[in-house]
Amino acid sequence: MASGPTSTGFRSRTDDDRIPSSFQRRVHWIFLGPSGIRTGWRILNSVWLWIVIATALTLALVAFPAVRSWVPTQNLRVVTPTLLFFSEGIGAIAAILSALVLARFEKRSLADYGLPFVRASGKYLGQGLLVGFAMVSALMGLIAAMSGFSPGALAIGGSEAWRSGLLYALGFMMLAVFEEFSFRGYFQATLASAIGFWPAAALLSFGFGGIHIGNPGETIAGVSAAVAFGLLAAFSLRRTGGIWLAIGMHAAWDWGQTYFYSVPDSGMQATGHLLNSSFHGPNWLTGGSAGPEGSVFVFAVLALTAAAIHYVYPAKR
């Protein structure tokens, strides 16, 4: 005759049984949301992973005797073609590698982070280079029309000018890839998934402006211009579906200021530039120590560029 359950067969449910499940739910809520790992943790993961990869790359390069003896001779407050290429190259490579690692875990691709490798990518990059140089040329032209800028004579020439110009072009391309992929690529895509595209773009644009505050010679006007450029870059991402146009604009803008027109860039002084340029007049016109990015005319140039993007790259359904 079968008997009912006894105390040796079944254990009554107590409060202790609910502790592990409650703790697990709390941990799950802290780290995971409806779409997987929460946004904050994803961004923190990308930051520490970038630091690890960038540190490893730096140590690997410094292991070479020539690089190890060269690094201490560099003044980090003055931009040189070689230093720019070295530092920004590490930053760009670390940003791409860290995103590839995260993309594998998040089951995404670089295209999901604003960096699609498709046929139109080269076209957008080329157009961005032309637009960026046109922007800085228009800005310098406006300042010169008000007698605020003189190009002066050539500072370097011949093979030295070509070498310096090429190294600056490569260095600023690395810088543009690093900064645009960080702020308008991975961070933008990740943060937008939580709070929406434009709130994320606005927040990251202020962060982009904030990183310029530490530059020697930077001003409030220059930081404001960096914030405005961040919004413009986000607008180009919205209209083209990627950051290639923004990368081109960013690289050509910095190259035009630092090398071609030979003026301060975000408060940073440089060597190996093309001209012996000089500014004349009030800071509101020339930008003062920040360079032309601090000029009142920069906002007009950015606004006109935004209008051009609006008409050339119409919104998609």
Side-chain angles (χ1 to χ4, degrees):
M1 183 176 176
S3 62
T6 66
S7 59
T8 57
F10 294 92
R11 188 164 56 89
S12 62
R13 186 177 180 86
T14 65
D15 290 340
D16 291 338
D17 296 312
R18 291 191 293 270
I19 292 176
S21 59
S22 176
F23 175 75
Q24 291 171 356
R25 285 196 299 270
R26 189 170 301 174
V27 171
H28 184 282
W29 181 87
I30 291 173
F31 290 98
L32 300 175
S35 302
I37 300 175
R38 292 191 180 276
T39 301
W41 294 114
R42 290 173 62 192
I43 291 177
L44 284 176
N45 283 338
S46 71
V47 171
W48 76 256
L49 188 56
W50 179 89
I51 292 173
V52 170
I53 294 175
T55 302
L57 290 173
T58 302
L59 292 175
L61 290 172
V62 173
F64 292 94
V67 177
R68 187 165 58 249
S69 60
W70 169 80
V71 170
T73 65
Q74 301 302 299
N75 182 357
L76 299 182
R77 299 175 70 87
V78 177
V79 180
T80 67
T82 308
L83 178 61
L84 180 73
F85 180 70
F86 177 82
S87 60
E88 300 304 332
I90 290 174
I93 293 172
I96 299 297
L97 290 179
S98 60
L100 286 172
V101 173
L102 294 170
R104 184 175 182 84
F105 284 98
E106 296 174 5
K107 293 180 172 53
R108 291 176 171 86
S109 68
L110 292 182
D112 296 316
Y113 305 143
L115 199 66
F117 289 90
V118 295
R119 181 176 299 178
S121 300
K123 179 187 73 173
Y124 286 137
L125 177 62
Q127 291 172 345
L129 291 171
L130 293 175
V131 171
F133 189 72
M135 289 168 62
V136 71
S137 296
L139 177 59
M140 299 310 300
L142 288 170
I143 297 174
M146 298 288 291
S147 302
F149 170 71
S150 298
L154 287 174
I156 56 176
S159 60
E160 184 183 359
W162 286 103
R163 175 183 175 278
S164 184
L166 178 60
L167 280 176
Y168 266 127
L170 293 174
F172 282 123
M173 183 61 70
M174 294 295 100
L175 181 147
V177 169
F178 172 38
E179 293 189 351
E180 292 304 322
F181 186 66
S182 297
F183 285 92
R184 260 70 67 178
Y186 185 83
F187 285 177
Q188 172 68 33
T190 302
L191 195 57
S193 65
I195 63 176
F197 183 89
W198 282 113
L203 185 61
L204 290 170
S205 294
F206 278 101
F208 180 66
I211 66 173
H212 290 75
I213 293 176
N215 292 348
E218 188 59 279
T219 63
I220 294 176
V223 171
S224 300
V227 173
F229 182 85
L231 292 171
L232 175 68
F235 183 49
S236 73
L237 165 64
R238 188 73 165 178
R239 286 302 177 88
T240 65
I243 61 173
W244 289 110
L245 185 69
I247 288 174
M249 290 192 298
H250 194 153
W253 175 273
D254 285 342
W255 183 85
Q257 284 189 112
T258 302
Y259 175 73
F260 191 81
Y261 291 106
S262 308
V263 293
D265 181 1
S266 296
M268 296 292 291
Q269 298 290 335
T271 63
H273 45 70
L274 184 63
L275 304 171
N276 288 312
S277 302
S278 59
F279 280 133
H280 324 282
N283 289 345
W284 64 263
L285 172 63
T286 66
S289 61
E293 289 183 3
S295 170
V296 67
F297 288 126
V298 72
F299 299 102
V301 171
L302 292 173
L304 288 173
T305 305
I309 291 174
H310 173 71
Y311 286 107
V312 175
Y313 307 100
K316 299 178 182 178
R317 290 182 177 273

